[in-house]
Amino acid sequence: MGRLAGKVAVVFGGARGIGLATVKEFLAEGATVYAADIREPAEEIGGYRHSTVDATDEAAVAAFVDGVLAEAGRVDVLFNNVGVHLAKPLADTTVAEFDHIFALNVRAAFLGTRAVLPHMIEQRAGSIITTSSNGGVMGRPGDPVYNATKHALVGLMKSVAVAHAHQGVRANTVNPGAIDTELLRGTLASPDDFETKQHQLVASTPAARVGEAWEVAKAVVFLASDESKFINGVVLPIDGAKAAGAMPGNRYSLDFDLGVGVVP
């Protein structure tokens, strides 16, 4: 029997990257999965329901969750995984860009959480997991407004945890670092740059490699499962120790040997 057998899971942002990897892991662990995204899935994997939903649209999110409840009768797990990146200095960021990234990265998680929360409180059980970033636990000079959204998600989930733990609701964040996804590759000038710029991507990562989407998805499964029933309000970096602290000065180098510590 799978670790999520009998559970109904909702995934917002399930069409690509970490979201799609998590859909696969949820299915493998026996969950009934309903995924939503503004895009179609990158792969045809079957076995779950995918809907086209704008996660920033209040009515659309409410209607989607209501539809899941009408069909499945419950929601046990919510994975908020909607987000975009913005690599701009603060002084160069427009108000429109600020509003856009907060709408996608924070409003979407707020709407998804608000939609499932009354039901989870009523059934006195539920796990909400939200994708933040290691930028949600530390400052980074290149993307301050993006980091502000990721800090906001940490605060939102911690507050939900404190407010509703006594009602059986859990709320945690996963905080990835550099993960090989379409989102990461989209920050580069071209797809080919991923191979040529790996040194730059991992120069500040103690593990000396980029992570994989399935590695984040496995952590989400754990937080969704009953194995983590007493874990609530946790911020979980999945970043090869980058958020843990500073490395020796000679490690912050673009000529660092990637062969050291790399997992095949």
Side-chain angles (χ1 to χ4, degrees):
M1 183 177 292
R3 297 155 75 193
L4 301 180
K7 294 188 182 294
V8 176
V10 168
V11 179
F12 283 104
R16 303 283 192 281
I18 291 169
L20 185 58
T22 302
V23 168
K24 293 177 181 178
E25 293 294 333
F26 280 178
L27 290 170
E29 294 293 346
T32 300
V33 180
Y34 294 83
D37 202 300
I38 202 165
R39 305 162 297 181
E40 289 300 312
E43 298 176 36
E44 292 289 341
I45 58 177
Y48 74 106
R49 178 76 60 82
H50 175 87
S51 299
T52 302
V53 177
D54 179 354
T56 68
D57 184 314
E58 179 181 6
V61 170
F64 175 70
V65 171
D66 286 346
V68 174
L69 289 170
E71 183 171 307
R74 60 188 299 117
V75 174
D76 302 288
V77 179
L78 169 66
F79 183 36
N80 292 310
N81 184 58
V82 174
V84 293
H85 188 243
L86 180 66
K88 270 194 171 184
L90 186 69
D92 296 337
T93 302
T94 68
V95 171
E97 288 171 328
F98 178 93
D99 289 342
H100 176 68
I101 195 168
F102 264 87
L104 282 170
N105 291 9
V106 183
R107 177 185 171 97
F110 156 71
L111 291 176
T113 300
R114 192 182 66 170
V116 304
L117 192 55
H119 172 73
M120 288 184 172
I121 291 171
E122 183 179 358
Q123 70 184 20
R124 301 195 68 81
S127 178
I128 301 168
I129 307 108
T130 297
T131 302
S132 176
S133 164
N134 64 5
V137 296
M138 62 184 186
R140 299 193 313 208
D143 49 7
V145 177
Y146 169 81
N147 277 19
T149 67
K150 296 304 184 176
H151 276 77
L153 292 171
V154 168
L156 179 65
M157 290 298 103
K158 283 187 173 184
S159 298
V160 170
V162 172
H164 300 291
H166 70 290
Q167 295 167 310
V169 178
R170 298 188 292 118
N172 299 289
T173 63
V174 288
N175 296 63
I179 306 295
D180 185 4
T181 62
E182 183 180 284
L183 180 64
L184 175 64
R185 290 177 182 255
T187 66
L188 306 175
S190 74
D192 294 339
D193 283 351
F194 183 78
E195 302 303 327
T196 60
K197 292 190 176 181
Q198 278 198 73
H199 284 84
Q200 182 177 339
L201 290 167
V202 304
S204 59
T205 301
R209 70 177 178 92
V210 172
E212 301 290 338
W214 66 265
E215 293 176 292
V216 181
K218 292 284 189 182
V220 176
V221 167
F222 170 68
L223 291 173
S225 74
D226 290 343
E227 296 168 4
S228 60
K229 262 192 167 180
F230 206 52
I231 297 176
N232 207 350
V234 160
V235 177
L236 179 59
I238 306 170
D239 66 349
K242 182 172 181 176
M247 297 183 293
N250 62 359
R251 272 292 314 276
Y252 293 94
S253 171
L254 297 186
D255 61 2
F256 175 74
D257 182 5
L258 279 174
V260 178
V262 174
V263 175

